[in-house]
Structure formats: structure tokens, C-alpha cells
Amino acid sequence: MHFIGTGVKERFCRFSEIEALTVLALIIQHYKIEVLEEPQFAHESFEQRKERVLEAHNGGLTLTPKRVPLRLTRRK
């Protein structure tokens, strides 16, 4: 059995949050991210695509995005 002192869980949670944001920022800094065109969604407007891409379902501990095909292109 391990002892976790008061406030330690909150610091670990905050550290994980900052770490995840840092990784996301580095990905955005080094890669251009595009949502790929798919034939079944060719008729969508920008707003419809935005709504579909940002839709997620509750996967338990986290929100899980629906299928979103992405292309990451390295920036120069």
C-alpha cells in the first residue's frame, strides 16, 4: 500500500495536463493538420464538417473523438 499525501494527486493531475498541452503544441508547431476529404462527406458545408469532426462520445475517463481521418504534413 502506498501513501499519497494531501495535494499530491492534484499536482500529478496538473502536471499531466501541462504535459499533454505541451505535446499538442509541439505537434501543431511542427505539423500542418488537415482533415482528409472523403467521398461520403463531399456534400458537407464547412459548418457541417466542423460539427462532425468535433463530435465525441464519452469513453469512460476521456472523451473519444469519432472517426476523423487526418493528414499531418511536416512544416518547413
Side-chain angles (χ1 to χ4, degrees):
M1 181 171 175
H2 299 283
F3 172 76
I4 298 179
T6 304
V8 173
K9 284 184 182 180
E10 291 81 11
R11 285 194 298 272
F12 281 139
C13 184
R14 183 68 181 148
F15 177 78
S16 297
E17 183 181 330
I18 291 169
E19 185 177 33
L21 286 173
T22 302
V23 168
L24 183 59
L26 286 170
I27 290 171
I28 292 170
Q29 179 182 7
H30 293 286
Y31 292 90
K32 178 182 176 187
I33 302 170
E34 299 173 87
V35 177
L36 295 178
E37 297 286 337
E38 291 185 297
Q40 69 264 34
F41 301 118
H43 64 280
E44 285 183 324
S45 69
F46 176 80
E47 289 301 319
Q48 289 170 323
R49 177 178 292 166
K50 179 180 171 183
E51 186 176 323
R52 177 177 55 86
V53 167
L54 295 178
E55 187 177 344
H57 66 276
N58 190 345
L61 294 175
T62 61
L63 288 177
T64 305
K66 302 260 176 147
R67 183 175 171 276
V68 180
L70 298 176
R71 175 184 300 141
L72 278 69
T73 308
R74 184 124 175 114
R75 296 180 190 265
K76 295 179 181 181

